[in-house]
Amino acid sequence: MQETEFDWETEEFGKAHQGRPGAVLADGTEPKPVIFDVGSGPEVHETSDWWVYDGDHLSAPQATGLRGACSCGWRGTTLHPMDWPAVAADGPERYDTTGPEADWNRHITDVEAHTTPIPEDVAALLTQLRTRLDTLALDAPLAALRIVSALEYPVGEAARTAAYTARSDDRPWDAIATALGLTEAEARTRIHRYARP
């Protein structure tokens, strides 16, 4: 069972574009996942969390650098050198991974640049609605629930219509995925979920 954690994500792209610092070995390759020996049992636990590649944990090789990594398969090209004494002194949770994160953020900007844009008036309405709902959820939670309930039906209908229309145009799945900013598998899942009656 893969247990690698992702440190960064966006609300819009969800699991399709989760990011993390990825370990890089001296030869420039990405190390294989480390397997945890948890005793007898059918499940095998493994991880690719960067901090296990310190040369000491579970016979893992030592990483010499980090780079941005995304669940979509993207890998950053900039290598950020590792400072293992700093990791040992401060712990992995305090180690500076802002370099790989900045690289991943540029990847997300690139993904967004290739998506179908949301019209500006709708984007403004969504921002206003989200802000208002956040306030109402604290100040008038029952009103917030009524608003969410009132939105469920029209949003569901619009989603079904859009999903059917997108597929009836015979657009290839890779084009749909790019337009939505998702992997092809995620795009298929989303379209099929919305197209259900």
Side-chain angles (χ1 to χ4, degrees), residues 45-168:
H45 298 277
E46 59 183 50
T47 185
S48 293
D49 288 328
W50 67 268
W51 53 267
V52 301
Y53 299 100
D54 62 359
D56 292 329
H57 280 88
L58 306 165
S59 302
Q62 187 176 62
T64 57
L66 295 176
R67 66 180 172 191
C70 187
S71 58
C72 72
W74 171 89
R75 296 296 184 263
T77 56
T78 303
L79 295 180
H80 304 273
M82 281 300 310
D83 181 355
W84 286 111
V87 176
D90 298 331
E93 64 281 347
R94 290 189 175 180
Y95 187 71
D96 182 10
T97 59
T98 55
E101 184 176 8
D103 297 337
W104 176 79
N105 281 324
R106 283 189 286 278
H107 162 64
I108 294 302
T109 299
D110 186 54
V111 169
E112 288 173 338
H114 290 88
T115 61
T116 299
I118 296 174
E120 287 184 26
D121 62 326
V122 176
L125 285 171
L126 288 172
T127 300
Q128 184 180 3
L129 180 61
R130 178 66 184 265
T131 301
R132 189 69 176 111
L133 280 174
D134 287 346
T135 302
L136 285 172
L138 295 172
D139 299 341
L142 296 178
L145 288 172
R146 287 199 61 208
I147 293 166
V148 170
S149 294
L151 289 171
E152 284 179 351
Y153 181 78
V155 167
E157 283 297 303
R160 272 189 289 284
T161 301
Y164 281 121
T165 304
R167 288 305 297 142
S168 67

Side-chain angles (χ1 to χ4, degrees), residues 173 184-194 196:
W173 281 110
E184 195 170 317
E186 290 273 337
R188 286 177 184 269
T189 299
R190 185 170 295 183
I191 292 289
H192 291 302
R193 183 179 76 227
Y194 289 155
R196 274 190 254 148

